[in-house]
Amino acid sequence: MPYPHQPYYQDRRSVSDLCYDFPADEPLVEGLHAMQVHFVRNGVNVDIPVLRVMNTAHFLASYMFATTCSGDQLEYDVLAYMSVGRDKQMMLMTMIVLAAMLKRTDGVRASQCRNVLLEDRSEDFYEGVSLYERFITSAQKRFEEQDFMTDVMAEITDLRELAEQLINEKTQLQKQIQTMSKIPKHQTTVYNYGTYNDIHDNPHATIYATAPQDNQPDSILPPENDYTALVRWLEFEKLRGNDYYAEADCNRTKLCRNLLKIIGWEPDQNSLRKAQSR
């Protein structure tokens, strides 16, 4: 994966927010509600979390349009499965909604990605696609490819601003280090490691409670459980050429284990994912 799990799409907090930003979502949402009623009437024990499913479908669509459509159906299934709380039924429901979303998006790219999603599925899945299409009453509202790129461009702008901010902070830190290194040579430095050092005869002495580090860090490590700082640090390290996610084979669980050796604490993968999607 050339673009590891970056927040291409920002989750909307309500269905009304979704429909305001994406008017073509309205018939898809109504179709999900109608499908829920159909399940209840037929004694099927399935509860559809409409907002979660719609947000996940948008995330996957934005991911598809922001990256090269790999043709790997399993990749998209896994992303959906993780995003809906490891619920297989809701993963399939998300794929059905995504197929409907792409069907209502003009362009060759949308058609190609939809073909990838629908290829070699079970008969139950195809029945679900047909059933959902029956419940979508309006065919007038459609998506544009640009609808799935807007959030990406904003994210790129934010990352550039963050990179500039981190570079400025690093420059300021380097200046402070250079200033500290210009201490007059006649000044005596006394390190007190728990024993008393007599410095009465040297008025220029400086006392440190602990020994200073010989090597200053290139970047400030994120405090434990501060996931906002952790996300910034990971982005900064990636800009410096240290793509820890890629080194972990694009596996967030492995990434969190590896980070323990680097930052001194092991992040929770779910908390990290949520922080990266804000």
Side-chain angles (χ1 to χ4, degrees):
M1 292 169 57
Y3 296 89
H5 71 78
Q6 292 186 27
Y8 297 109
Y9 168 78
Q10 298 290 342
D11 281 359
R12 270 53 175 183
R13 296 188 178 183
S14 68
V15 171
S16 60
D17 288 343
L18 273 170
C19 294
Y20 180 84
D21 293 336
F22 305 98
D25 273 353
E26 190 172 344
L28 300 184
V29 169
E30 292 174 354
L32 283 176
H33 287 303
M35 204 163 188
Q36 179 70 79
V37 172
H38 171 80
F39 287 149
V40 172
R41 287 178 175 176
N42 288 274
V44 179
N45 186 25
V46 174
D47 184 21
I48 303 175
V50 175
L51 181 60
R52 181 68 267 162
V53 168
M54 291 300 300
N55 269 322
T56 302
H58 268 285
F59 163 75
L60 289 172
S62 295
Y63 179 84
M64 286 176 166
F65 280 85
T67 61
T68 301
C69 193
S70 68
D72 186 356
Q73 186 185 93
L74 179 60
E75 176 184 352
Y76 305 124
D77 284 357
V78 170
L79 285 172
Y81 180 70
M82 300 300 292
S83 295
V84 295
R86 303 171 185 268
D87 187 320
K88 184 178 180 181
Q89 284 184 318
M90 287 308 101
M91 180 270 286
L92 295 173
M93 189 72 251
T94 298
M95 289 306 179
I96 289 172
V97 172
L98 180 56
M101 188 179 290
L102 294 173
K103 183 179 180 180
R104 288 157 178 80
T105 305
D106 297 322
V108 176
R109 187 69 170 278
S111 178
Q112 290 174 339
C113 291
R114 187 171 188 271
N115 289 338
V116 169
L117 292 183
L118 297 179
E119 187 177 7
D120 294 329
R121 295 286 190 178
S122 67
E123 289 300 321
D124 288 342
F125 181 85
Y126 293 129
E127 288 180 8
V129 171
S130 300
L131 180 64
Y132 183 54
E133 287 290 342
R134 285 170 44 197
F135 292 132
I136 302 176
T137 56
S138 173
Q140 301 300 318
K141 298 178 180 179
R142 300 185 65 81
F143 297 94
E144 299 290 339
E145 288 190 5
Q146 188 61 32
D147 290 342
F148 305 116
M149 298 297 292
T150 302
D151 290 301
V152 180
M153 300 309 299
E155 201 68 37
I156 291 173
T157 300
D158 289 345
L159 285 173
R160 286 175 176 169
E161 292 177 354
L162 174 62
E164 291 178 2
Q165 177 185 343
L166 291 172
I167 290 172
N168 290 335
E169 290 176 357
K170 182 179 179 181
T171 301
Q172 292 297 322
L173 178 61
Q174 289 174 336
K175 289 181 178 179
Q176 292 176 6
I177 294 172
Q178 291 174 358
T179 300
M180 293 174 62
S181 66
K182 295 179 180 179
I183 299 174
K185 293 183 178 180
H186 69 273
Q187 185 176 23
T188 303
T189 302
V190 179
Y191 299 108
N192 186 356
Y193 304 113
T195 60
Y196 177 75
N197 294 279
D198 190 353
I199 60 169
H200 293 88
D201 295 331
N202 189 347
H204 300 292
T206 301
I207 298 178
Y208 293 91
T210 59
Q213 299 296 320
D214 292 334
N215 298 317
Q216 294 291 340
D218 289 334
S219 61
I220 300 174
L221 296 180
E224 186 170 356
N225 294 326
D226 188 340
Y227 287 90
T228 299
L230 177 59
V231 170
R232 287 174 174 267
W233 181 82
L234 285 170
E235 291 167 347
F236 177 61
E237 286 296 305
K238 184 176 179 180
L239 290 172
R240 296 176 61 237
N242 300 322
D243 191 343
Y244 294 119
Y245 183 72
E247 292 175 5
D249 301 321
C250 300
N251 183 302
R252 191 179 290 105
T253 301
K254 185 177 179 181
L255 168 66
C256 291
R257 288 199 302 266
N258 292 347
L259 287 177
L260 173 62
K261 304 173 185 178
I262 302 170
I263 64 176
W265 57 282
E266 183 174 352
D268 175 73
Q269 61 171 320
N270 291 326
S271 299
L272 176 57
R273 177 182 59 81
K274 291 178 182 178
Q276 288 173 320
S277 64
R278 290 185 186 129

